Amino acid sequence: MKGRDVSDLASPAVFDVFVIGGGINGCGIARDAVGRGLSVVLAEQGDLAQATSSASTKLFHGGLRYLEYFEFRLVREALEERETLLVAMPHISWPMRFVLPYSPDMRFEGNTPTSRLLGLVMPWNKGRRPAWLIRLGLFLYDHLGGRRILPGTRRLDLASDPAGQPLKPGFRLAYEYSDCWVQDSRLVSLNARDAAERGAQILVGTRVTRAERDGALWRIETRGPEGARTYHARALVNAGGPWIEEVIRDVARIRSTEGVRLVRGSHIVTRRLFDHDRCYFFQGPDGRIIFAIPYEQDFTLIGTTDQDHDGSPAEARCTDAERDYLCAFASRYFARPVTPADVVWSYSGVRPLYNDGAKSATAATRDYVLSLNAEGAPLLNVFGGKITTYRRLAEGALARLVPFFPQAKGPWTARVPLPGGDFPHDGVPALIDRLAREYPFLSAREAQRLVRNYGTDVFRILDGAKAPEDLGRDFGAGLTEAELRWLVVHEFARSAADVIWRRTKLGLHMTEDQVAALEAFLAENGKTLREGCLETPAAE
């Protein structure tokens, strides 16, 4: 995979757009921009999706609870995007059905707009969340976004439906509705890969140390694997996520009254708690909600919390208190209590929400804000956002930048497949069957994992292998040298953590010795594998 040859550029030393940040917003913007004919460089200080974009609840959803805050535009946009992106990435995203058990004890969280309105017209309700209101919300959820692929809401009797078996017997009524799952960090790496294949330069492990206006351009200084370098660009995009204020203040050295509210979302992973493939949407006595989701074949993912975060975003961890809170929350619903001893892994991410002055972390808006500073060469700061609307955010960002680039083409990303996603949205079973026929030495479990990670690219990874030995060294948990080479050459992976926690989740299945052996192999052979992967952009 090669980046654009700089000799093809009108001015080899000047790029159109320089993007700071390799999360989903930065990579989505880079992909959109280069597809419009602009020259693009993206710099990420660590690994792609190393922070917030790999620490989500992995849901590709409209945000049912945002309806209570009357964020109808955000919900509608997210609901529309569910099906747009299911078509574009059927390998790494898929529909799921969510079971919402109802209890008369359900209450609103805090002082939401809906709870205030209901308190005025039904004061005797005393903050309780009535069943009819949940059904009304689900009706809106079914119809706001022009749903075509996903099935609508239905009512369940938990006494007879299999979804009721893992739950305590006191739950009888439930509603089942549709949302979607996405492999969040793979979404980021595939956007970056697609951007690179269209000509963008993607720099991982590269920190932007300074950016300043130099006439009609930005002069950008970086430090990365090749040392210190300098770039020039006509526009600068700050998609630094939790570090956005640091980029504004310390890198670009611009005064701004805008800021972010850092909110920590923590999750726990346990051994599989139930046998079916549906998810649960639980509400606690404090009005908060969590999900319990089938995860990586053998596990259940439970989350998330909403806590204001102090300190460095890089130091976000699921605290013991958060772990215990999630265990106790889930235990209110599951017949078998969930205990800290059941937790096999936990993770935490910091969401950079636009600081709108909300009283609580949960009430802070999940909408995004695009702030353009055009006092000279343009600077676009990207505040907030969520995975579901990343493509729309990228379109919005380009809409703000296009006036500076009259040669740019129009929007193009809707329903355009990401790498490996060039097959029907319901074509995964057929693709798994094809893979099993052509590579009979793969187990059913391996075939499913490979298709769910790589889609049609799996045939390029296996490259006509006739036996497991043809795939090279086996590092454990099904990770072969052929797959590892693909991740290094095509998906910017450099370390064992990049491979087993972001490009895949094989870290859940590997031993410490296997991880150490993988890290040693990459330390010895990584540079050789990376040779020829990406060209270094022109710099001073």
Side-chain angles (χ1 to χ4, degrees), residues 6 8 67 71 80 102 118 206 253 368 439 451 512 527:
V6 294
D8 292 339
L67 289 175
E71 297 215 41
E80 291 170 349
Y102 178 74
L118 204 64
T206 301
R253 301 183 183 182
Y368 56 82
Y439 298 91
V451 167
E512 290 184 5
K527 184 176 180 181

Side-chain angles (χ1 to χ4, degrees), residues 196-315:
E197 291 183 345
R198 295 174 187 274
Q201 301 286 347
I202 307 296
L203 310 176
V204 293
T206 301
R207 183 179 180 85
V208 176
T209 57
R210 186 166 183 177
E212 60 183 358
R213 289 185 170 104
D214 184 5
L217 302 175
W218 280 95
R219 185 176 187 273
I220 302 136
E221 298 175 4
T222 68
R223 181 167 293 279
E226 305 302 324
R229 292 183 176 270
T230 301
Y231 302 87
H232 284 92
R234 297 181 178 89
L236 181 64
V237 175
N238 175 10
W243 289 271
I244 185 172
E245 288 188 22
E246 180 181 319
V247 172
I248 295 171
R249 181 184 64 248
D250 300 334
V251 176
R253 301 183 183 182
I254 291 175
R255 292 184 179 181
S256 174
T257 58
E258 294 178 302
V260 291
R261 181 173 190 162
L262 300 182
V263 175
R264 187 176 66 251
S266 294
H267 304 75
I268 58 174
V269 175
T270 70
R271 291 291 174 185
R272 191 158 186 165
L273 299 177
F274 46 90
D275 294 331
H276 57 79
D277 60 359
R278 286 176 283 179
C279 312
Y280 290 102
F281 177 118
F282 295 148
Q283 184 185 101
D286 58 357
R288 286 276 299 124
I289 64 101
I290 63 168
F291 297 96
I293 308 168
Y295 188 58
E296 293 295 318
Q297 298 177 314
D298 298 326
F299 304 95
T300 298
L301 172 65
I302 300 173
T304 179
T305 60
D306 271 317
Q307 297 285 331
D308 284 312
H309 181 76
D310 296 320
S312 169
E315 297 173 356

Side-chain angles (χ1 to χ4, degrees), residues 169-182:
F171 296 102
R172 180 69 181 263
L173 168 65
Y175 300 102
E176 182 184 281
Y177 69 96
S178 290
D179 255 325
C180 305
W181 172 264
V182 63

Side-chain angles (χ1 to χ4, degrees), residues 11 42 74 128 152 166 180-183 196 198 210 222 236 249 269 307 312 317 327 364 381 387 393 408 438 533 535:
S11 176
L42 180 147
L74 174 63
R128 292 186 179 87
C180 305
W181 172 264
V182 63
Q183 300 194 62
R198 295 174 187 274
R210 186 166 183 177
T222 68
L236 181 64
R249 181 184 64 248
V269 175
Q307 297 285 331
S312 169
R317 300 289 184 273
C327 287
N381 294 308
I387 280 182
L393 181 152
E438 295 187 21
C533 172
E535 293 177 350

Side-chain angles (χ1 to χ4, degrees), residues 322-337:
E322 288 175 304
R323 178 204 61 198
D324 294 346
Y325 170 82
L326 291 172
C327 287
F329 200 143
S331 297
R332 292 182 61 86
Y333 284 85
F334 287 118
R336 186 179 75 80

Side-chain angles (χ1 to χ4, degrees), residues 3-52:
R4 175 180 295 182
D5 188 332
V6 294
S7 64
D8 292 339
L9 300 174
S11 176
V14 177
F15 292 86
D16 290 325
V17 179
F18 193 106
V19 180
I20 300 175
I24 188 55
N25 291 338
C27 291
I29 290 170
R31 177 185 184 235
D32 193 323
V34 74
R36 296 178 190 238
L38 303 180
S39 54
V40 177
V41 181
L42 180 147
E44 162 54 43
Q45 63 180 344
D47 180 35
L48 300 174
Q50 186 165 310
T52 308

Side-chain angles (χ1 to χ4, degrees), residues 314-354:
E315 297 173 356
R317 300 289 184 273
C318 178
T319 65
D320 289 349
E322 288 175 304
R323 178 204 61 198
D324 294 346
Y325 170 82
L326 291 172
C327 287
F329 200 143
S331 297
R332 292 182 61 86
Y333 284 85
F334 287 118
R336 186 179 75 80
V338 181
T339 70
D342 295 318
V343 178
V344 298
W345 182 50
S346 65
Y347 66 90
S348 189
V350 176
R351 287 162 285 189
L353 307 181
Y354 185 72

